[in-house]
Every structure is written in structure tokens, then in C-alpha cells.
């Protein structure tokens, strides 16, 4: 009755998932809805920025050569021959000792090659004409924002798969992306299993717990960049489970089940996979928590069977589902960002398998520091509240002491890693 | 015609804004919509977790005392007298050398005090009865998740104003928050000014640029946690500007205008404020970029007049609007998180005023490192693409060299600072 399962190292398990993780589709969204999405195409500059020489200040456009002799004792006088508001173009000639009043951002007149800031001039009116005095020399090019100094035409400003931040939004607007090609969010179904589960709105009962995993995963899907669909709770009858999974699968890009992946008598997941004809990529991973994580593939869709234990479920999502979501979003650093941090507390437990400790990462004196964010059991839920990182302790290591350097995976960082699993010691049972 | 403005230090300017920043309203949202919002109330545990002693494994619940003599040579034999699925409660008596098959998460029977993992038992059937053999001693409490070990009743698990992460979602579900009290998002209006501005979908014209600031700010509002409303572009007629601003103000909690805050002839903002009866908190800040940032107050609403230069506009938002949004969201660390980082590149410019350099922060060997993210001019837009931090260089300092430690404000971090302005050298002109 007890199925023997062969645990594989975490890196190998992730690699098996990534073999079937595929880029998704592109869709167009209005610019104002693009924040937080991922670019589906390279963002290239189709013109220079600025696209014309412009004034960075309010002031006067002049010919620099006319200031060669100017000093406080001997100011040069210029006749103001026009005004250029931002957005306007001054097409007339500007001759010697003539100046044009120019606003911030306005185009420099053809004949001018320097701008004098308003504060540095004295203005006077005389016979309906306006004059300014300039008390020092200006060089050709002074106070001009030159065409192309910010962005060169043809430059790739952001690659396909880039997270659309406010800065990327500014560039999209600059280059006329009224509609933005973004990665379609993968639709990810969630099905909870477990006869112990109460709905969130139900009162507690003896022996039962409220279903926290499903809602936690809906949030994790959103954080990763997917679109969650909750299909509710499976009941305890195998036939209806099979049809519920088949129905959900037909409506999503990936499917997550929680619970039912243990080796106990009441776990239907292997039977469901078999009935559907899904091929199991692995059903045991040499890690804690989440060793019973199962991933299967049905046609081109991935089915993630995560543990019913909150911490195990959480970790399983971040290691296996997150990179699939980011790959779907064209991102080439789909895994959690891996960095080093100093452990702030002893962690005396030995680690027969690679261990992922829910942790709180912060900074001190310009360094990353990290401590377990609470009670470390796969069933724990409190430790998830302040978790913004996972400490990675390789299998085969003994306990860790305060002050040691450990690897951490960052949960709230959109930069990601290409492949964080190189130097994690594999561990077999 | 040139208005004299008195610049105030950044910290003083932020403090003036914070005097009028107010917590907002609470609203209830379904749990599945709570991710990324801010808690409007403390999240307290109204019961213990686990709420009963439960089994962390599939196995058998036993009385530990019956294993006192058990060894591989001399296994103890137990009669299996029942099965407990997760969610079920076993109410019968368990006597000496009796065991109950128990599933992960199920409640421990009253008479039992240890769980033996399935893998460690041998099962055999005899005359329709099932027996297991146990080959070692177990202590009272072995493999039991005790009531309350994860969360104590009455514990405050997350404070009002906490960002709702997936971990917080799990706790909300555990404690029955089918609907979650969250901070209502402040509605923030955006009005662009500038006759040089083209709409994003318009082709480029001589002397004009596309309106990138408004869309950038819509993204920044979303990142901060607000709800943006774009009111379009003001035109060049004072009367219609006044009525557009008044109309927008009536529909929002805060209002942002971009451009029109310079000292040039064509800037209407001071006139608009005066006409509305808004009181100006400041109109010049001793900082670069964004020195002409103006903030005013009309009744209990803040009006942010940000620069028309993209980088200056960006910085102005993050320093002044972001903390107002977070305060509205009940967050008690409303400012950008301030940390120290090592400068990766020389930054030779002197800093007559506090300078905020758009920068890219990353990690190396467990340390924060930072470099300017591109062209450093207030008009630059390219440097915003990779900006995830602002380097803060105090006014009155000369250039900085590679390897020096600098202060940085983190743009993509939801932890925040209570008050990051203590040790920034103020600078007056």
C-alpha cells in the first residue's frame, strides 16, 4: 500500500519542470494598463531623445560668440527678437546680439548655440523693444540638451521579458506605445484537496482547518505574474475528482492542486494522473519542506501537485511554479534571485536534505542579513507572514550558526536568476 | 516677471507634506482580491494554530509507553483498531498495544501521545485483523504538532498598514477573513501641462515631445498603492485650466500636475493655486532634480505640482507623493526604504544641493552595490528604465568616487522607512 518513491535533487526537479515550461502568447494592452506586466517584444528607440536640440532651462537662446567680451564690468546687450514657448518652433533668423526668450524644453533656434538662464540676465525695455544684459562668456553648446544625448536611435532600451516598471512606462510613452505588446498572463487553476478543509467563511470544527493554501497560492500566482482561477475544493470521490481535474485543465495554462500528494491511503492524485494519461515528471524531491511535491505533464500543460502543508506548499510554488510563470512571460531570468546573506540567528537543525527556511531578509550596514521568519515546520503558517526570502541550506550539512553566510532566494524581487541551482549540493536518499 | 523662490531642504519639504498627509478609509474586499493591498486593521489570532494536536505525517497514532521495550530484535506488535482521515475525529478508546492509522493533518486520538511514521512500520493481516510492528522506542509527544505551537490565541500576526503578501493571505484565510478590511486606495488625479506635449498616439512633430510623464506617474501611483485617474492635458488658457483643476480636485483624494511649475512666463500653476485658494506649502526645494517641485494644500487635499522633466517628475513623486499614499494606506513606514550601498562608479559632479541620482541597485558578495542607471540630467528618460533606487548625495559635497558608501532609497521595496531624512545634510541657497 505504501508506494516507494525515489527522491531527486531539487535542481534536477526544477530542470525537469523547465524542460516543459514554454513561452506564452502576446497580447496588446493600453499603456495605462501595462504596469507590472512583462514586455512581449524588445523596446527599441525609433527616434532619438531628445529628437531636437532643446533648452533645459527657461532663459534666452543666443549666439555664444556674441558673449566673448562679456563681463560684469562690461555686460553684452542683446535685443530680444522673439519668444519660443515649449512646443513652438522659432523659424526666423537670429542675428548678432539678438536673443530669443526660450522656455524649458523648447527647440533651440537654428542660429543659436547657447542658452543663458533667466536668472543670469537683466531685462530692460526701451522704445517698445526689450533688451537683456549678459555679464559673462558662454561657450557654444552651453545649456543645450543635444539631440540624441539621452537615447540613440535604434538602441534597445529594454528586452522582451522585462518587467514593466514606471521607468519602462515612461519609455513606452516616449516611443509612442499607445498600446503595449505584453506577455499574456498564464491562466493558472487552483484546486484544493483534503477532507479536513473548511471554507474560509465556515466556523472551525473539531479536526478541521480552514483552507489557507488555496488563497495563499492565488496571491503567489499574482505575485509571479499569472492570472489565478480558483476551482474550489475536490471532494472525496475519485470519479468526481477526475472530472473536476479534467474540466479545470481544459480551462487553464497550468494547474495546481494542493494536498493529496502524500503517500497515505486517501490520496487520489497518482490515480487521477494515471487516468488522465498525464506523465509524472517526479513525485519526490530531496528537500524539506515539500518533499512530496509532484509535477506531471499533460500534453503541453504542467500540473503541479503541491503539498497540503502551508509552508511546503508555499516553497513548492516558488521553486517550481514561479519559474514556469516567468518563462511563460518571456522572462529569461525566471527563477527567484539568489544572493548571499549573513545568518542573524543560529539554525541548529541538521539538514539531511536541501532545506528551504522561510525567512526575513533585511539590510544592515550595506549587507544582506537574514533570519528565519518563525516556526520552522512544513505545517507552519505563521512563518509565512514575514517571509520575503528562503534560506537555502544544502543537504548533508549540519546546523548553521549565527554569522555564517548562507544562500537566500528573494521572494519579492523582480530581477530573478537565470539558474540558481549550480552550487546547491544535491542530496539523494 | 521672475518670481523669487526660497528653496527649503528636502527633509523640511517632506515634513511639510506629511503634516497634511492623512490616513484614509477602510473598505472590505473579498480575500482573493486582497493581495497587494494594505491591512486596515490589526490581524489578530482568534484561535490557536493548530487548533488541536495533529499528526504531521501519515502513520499510526499510538501510546508511547507501549514502545518502551521495542527494538529491531524485539519489535512491539500493535493491533490497528481504526483509521482517521484528515478532518475526521476518532472518538473511541485506544488501549495498550493498539494503534490507529492516521493521515497527515488529522487529530490525534485522546488516548494517544505519539505518531509512528508509516515508513517505519511493518503491516500484516491475520484473521481479518491488521497488526503493525514497531522496532524502536517512541517518546511521548513524538511526531505530534501540538495545539498552539504555530500561533497563540490573541497574537497580533500583522499590524494595520501591513502590505498583504501571499503569507499574510494564508493567515487571513486561516483566521476566517472571507472579506478583508483593507485601506481604500487613494484616488489620485493626474493632469499634464505643457504645450509641447503630444499624446502618445500622435506622430512626432518639430519642437514637440510625447507626454511620457503622465503615464509614468500612473505607474508610480500604482506601485505606491494608489488608484490613478488621468484627466488628460491642460490647455494653454488660464480660465479653462482653473476649471479643469477644480473639476479634477473634486473627484480625487490628491492631485498631481506635471509641468508648469517652472519660473517661465507661461506657467500658470501659481495663478491656479491662488485662484482656488490653495495654500502653497513650498515651491522650491534645495534638491536636484526637481528643485521647482511645488506642493499646495486645498482643504484636506494635497496638490503636487511636479516638474515637467521626466527625471525630476519621477523623483518628486517618490519623495513627496509616495509617503502620502502610504500614509493614506495606514502604513507607518511611508517613506522609501533607506539603506547604504557601495558606489560602483565614479560620480564626479559636485552637489551644490541634495542630489537624487536614478540608480540601479544590486548585490555582490552579500553587499548592496549601486550605480547610476544612465544619463544624469533632469530631462533624461533613459535612466529611468533600470532605476530601482535613488542614490542620495547630500548638498555641499563634491564628487563621489567608486568604492565610497552612499545612501540609497529603494524604489521596489515595500518595507519602507519611518523617516529617512535624519542624516541628510540640509542645503540652503
Amino acid at each position: 500500500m505504501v508506494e516507494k518513491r525515489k527522491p531527486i535533487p531539487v535542481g534536477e526537479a526544477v530542470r525537469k519542470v523547465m524542460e516543459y515550461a514554454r513561452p506564452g502568447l502576446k497580447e496588446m494592452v493600453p499603456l495605462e494598463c501595462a504596469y507590472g506586466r512583462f514586455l512581449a517584444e524588445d523596446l527599441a528607440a525609433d527616434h532619438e531623445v531628445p529628437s531636437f536640440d532643446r533648452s533645459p532651462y527657461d532663459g534666452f537662446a543666443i549666439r555664444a560668440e556674441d558673449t566673448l567680451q562679456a563681463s560684469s564690468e562690461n555686460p553684452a546687450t542683446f535685443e530680444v527678437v522673439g519668444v519660443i514657448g515649449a512646443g513652438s518652433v522659432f523659424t526666423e533668423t537670429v542675428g548678432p546680439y539678438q536673443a530669443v526668450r526660450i522656455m524649458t524644453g523648447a527647440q533651440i533656434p537654428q542660429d543659436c548655440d547657447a542658452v543663458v538662464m533667466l536668472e543670469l540676465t537683466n531685462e530692460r525695455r526701451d522704445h517698445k523693444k526689450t533688451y537683456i544684459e549678459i555679464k559673462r562668456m558662454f561657450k557654444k553648446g552651453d545649456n543645450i540638451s543635444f539631440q540624441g544625448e539621452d537615447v540613440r536611435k535604434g538602441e534597445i532600451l529594454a528586452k522582451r521579458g522585462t518587467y514593466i516598471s514606471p521607468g519602462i512606462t515612461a519609455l513606452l510613452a516616449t516611443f509612442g506605445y499607445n498600446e503595449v505588446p505584453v506577455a499574456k498572463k498564464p491562466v493558472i487553476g487552483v484546486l484544493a484537496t483534503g477532507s479536513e478543509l473548511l471554507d474560509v467563511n465556515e466556523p472551525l470544527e473539531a479536526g478541521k482547518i480552514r483552507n489557507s493554501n488555496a488563497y495563499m497560492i492565488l496571491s503567489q500566482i499574482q505575485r509571479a505574474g499569472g492570472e489565478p482561477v480558483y476551482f474550489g475544493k475536490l471532494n472525496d470521490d475519485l470519479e468526481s475528482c477526475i472530472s473536476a481535474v479534467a474540466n479545470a485543465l481544459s480551462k487553464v495554462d497550468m494547474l495546481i492542486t494542493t494536498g493529496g500528494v502524500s503517500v497515505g491511503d486517501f490520496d487520489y492524485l497518482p490515480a487521477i494522473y494515471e487516468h488522465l494519461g498525464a506523465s509524472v515528471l517526479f513525485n519526490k524531491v530531496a528537500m524539506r519542506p515539500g518533499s512530496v511535491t509532484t509535477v506531471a505533464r499533460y500534453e503541453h500543460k504542467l500540473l503541479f501537485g503541491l503539498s497540503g502543508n502551508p509552508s511546503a506548499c508555499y516553497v513548492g510554488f516558488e521553486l517550481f511554479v514561479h519559474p514556469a510563470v516567468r518563462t511563460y512571460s518571456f522572462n529569461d531570468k525566471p527563477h527567484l534571485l539568489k544572493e548571499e546573506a549573513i545568518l542573524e540567528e543560529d539554525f541548529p537543525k541538521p539538514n539531511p536534505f536541501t532545506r528551504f527556511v522561510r525567512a526575513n531578509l533585511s539590510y544592515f550596514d550595506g549587507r544582506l542579513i537574514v533570519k528565519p521568519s518563525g516556526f520552522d515546520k512544513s505545517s507552519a503558517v505563521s512563518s509565512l507572514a514575514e517571509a520575503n526570502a528562503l534560506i537555502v541550506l544544502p543537504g548533508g550539512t549540519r546546523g548553521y550558526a549565527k554569522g555564517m553566510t548562507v544562500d537566500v532566494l528573494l521572494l519579492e524581487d523582480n530581477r530573478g536568476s537565470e539558474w540558481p541551482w549550480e552550487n546547491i549540493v544535491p542530496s539523494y536518499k
Side-chain angles (χ1 to χ4, degrees), chain A:
Chain A
M1 197 165 287
V2 180
E3 188 195 354
K4 265 290 172 206
R5 296 182 176 188
K6 184 178 152 25
I8 63 172
V10 183
E12 193 182 323
V14 178
R15 200 182 298 280
K16 280 176 186 283
V17 171
M18 297 310 285
E19 274 171 29
Y20 298 101
R22 293 274 176 279
L25 302 171
K26 179 177 94 172
E27 67 180 356
M28 302 300 288
V29 297
L31 179 55
E32 59 269 34
C33 302
Y35 170 68
R37 304 293 295 267
F38 293 86
L39 286 176
E41 290 172 10
D42 288 351
L43 166 51
D46 69 354
H47 64 76
E48 294 177 309
V49 178
S51 60
F52 50 86
D53 291 352
R54 72 186 177 200
S55 174
Y57 300 118
D58 278 315
F60 293 91
I62 56 160
R63 300 156 15 119
E65 63 190 281
D66 299 335
T67 65
L68 269 175
Q69 312 297 329
S71 66
S72 353
E73 296 77 39
N74 189 26
T77 300
F78 289 73
E79 183 194 352
V80 180
V81 297
V83 177
I84 325 171
S88 304
V89 179
F90 188 82
T91 50
E92 292 160 53
T93 305
V94 182
Y97 298 97
Q98 292 189 330
V100 185
R101 177 80 176 86
I102 191 166
M103 306 303 161
T104 305
Q107 182 165 350
I108 308 291
Q110 183 108 42
D111 301 320
C112 298
D113 54 16
V115 168
V116 182
M117 285 175 276
L118 199 59
E119 304 90 285
L120 301 182
T121 61
N122 289 323
E123 200 171 322
R124 63 179 166 80
R125 294 193 134 258
D126 194 5
H127 297 299
K128 292 186 179 165
K129 285 192 171 176
T130 304
Y131 298 91
I132 55 165
E133 283 186 344
I134 295 177
K135 293 176 176 170
R136 70 171 182 83
M137 202 194 80
F138 285 83
K139 291 192 307 294
K140 190 174 165 168
D142 274 357
N143 299 322
I144 290 181
S145 293
F146 290 103
Q147 183 172 343
E149 69 174 14
D150 190 3
V151 180
R152 291 259 149 228
K153 187 172 173 176
E155 225 177 288
I156 301 291
L157 297 163
K159 279 194 312 181
R160 182 189 196 223
T162 299
Y163 179 82
I164 301 177
S165 64
I168 298 289
T169 308
L171 287 169
L172 287 165
T174 300
F175 292 102
Y177 286 84
N178 197 37
E179 301 252 297
V180 183
V182 299
K184 198 177 159 301
K185 293 184 181 186
V187 176
I188 305 180
V190 177
L191 267 167
T193 77
S195 41
E196 76 279 23
L197 297 182
L198 296 168
D199 281 339
V200 171
N201 59 355
E202 290 183 273
L204 273 195
E205 275 176 41
K208 303 210 169 194
I209 59 168
R210 292 206 186 90
N211 176 9
S212 59
N213 287 347
Y215 292 93
M216 176 181 82
I217 288 178
L218 300 181
S219 287
Q220 287 177 287
I221 291 171
Q222 288 174 269
R223 178 166 69 184
E227 170 125 352
V229 182
Y230 183 38
F231 288 96
K233 215 189 83 174
L234 286 178
N235 61 24
D236 292 335
D237 157 44
L238 182 59
E239 283 307 307
S240 66
C241 284
I242 291 170
S243 70
V245 170
N247 168 57
L249 251 183
S250 72
K251 294 178 175 161
V252 299
D253 298 305
M254 308 174 201
L255 183 63
I256 296 171
T257 52
T258 68
V261 287
S262 178
V263 292
D265 303 18
F266 292 10
D267 291 329
Y268 287 145
L269 216 59
I272 294 170
Y273 288 161
E274 198 184 323
H275 192 278
L276 288 172
S279 49
V280 172
L281 305 184
F282 54 86
N283 59 17
K284 187 140 191 165
V285 186
M287 69 186 227
R288 292 283 184 277
S291 64
V292 291
T293 306
T294 296
V295 179
R297 177 180 66 89
Y298 175 69
E299 291 171 355
H300 57 287
K301 294 177 182 177
L302 285 162
L303 289 88
F304 298 93
L306 304 181
S307 167
N309 274 325
S311 284
C313 183
Y314 188 93
V315 169
F317 182 95
E318 297 298 335
L319 301 190
F320 303 112
V321 188
H322 176 100
V325 174
R326 290 290 162 97
T327 298
Y328 194 98
S329 309
F330 308 122
N331 193 285
D332 58 4
K333 291 182 172 174
H335 304 278
L336 297 177
L337 182 62
K338 189 174 84 171
E339 296 296 341
E340 287 178 4
I342 294 168
L343 197 57
E344 282 183 275
E345 280 178 13
D346 291 344
F347 190 85
K349 276 193 202 177
N351 307 293
F353 306 98
T354 306
R355 189 189 296 280
F356 297 92
V357 186
R358 282 74 63 210
N360 187 264
L361 182 87
S362 59
Y363 307 112
F364 183 75
D365 263 359
R367 286 178 175 276
L368 284 78
I369 57 175
V370 71
K371 64 179 171 199
S373 55
F375 190 59
D376 187 61
K377 265 199 185 176
S378 71
S379 60
V381 67
S382 61
S383 60
L384 300 173
E386 297 204 338
N388 61 5
L390 300 173
I391 298 171
V392 188
L393 303 177
T397 53
R398 303 204 158 266
Y400 280 72
K402 182 176 169 173
M404 289 173 82
T405 297
V406 291
D407 283 325
V408 286
L409 297 170
L410 276 60
L411 296 164
E412 300 274 355
D413 192 294
N414 277 315
R415 280 165 290 188
S417 291
E418 251 173 75
W419 184 251
W421 302 110
E422 274 328 315
N423 298 310
I424 307 290
V425 179
S427 62
Y428 294 84
K429 191 177 178 180

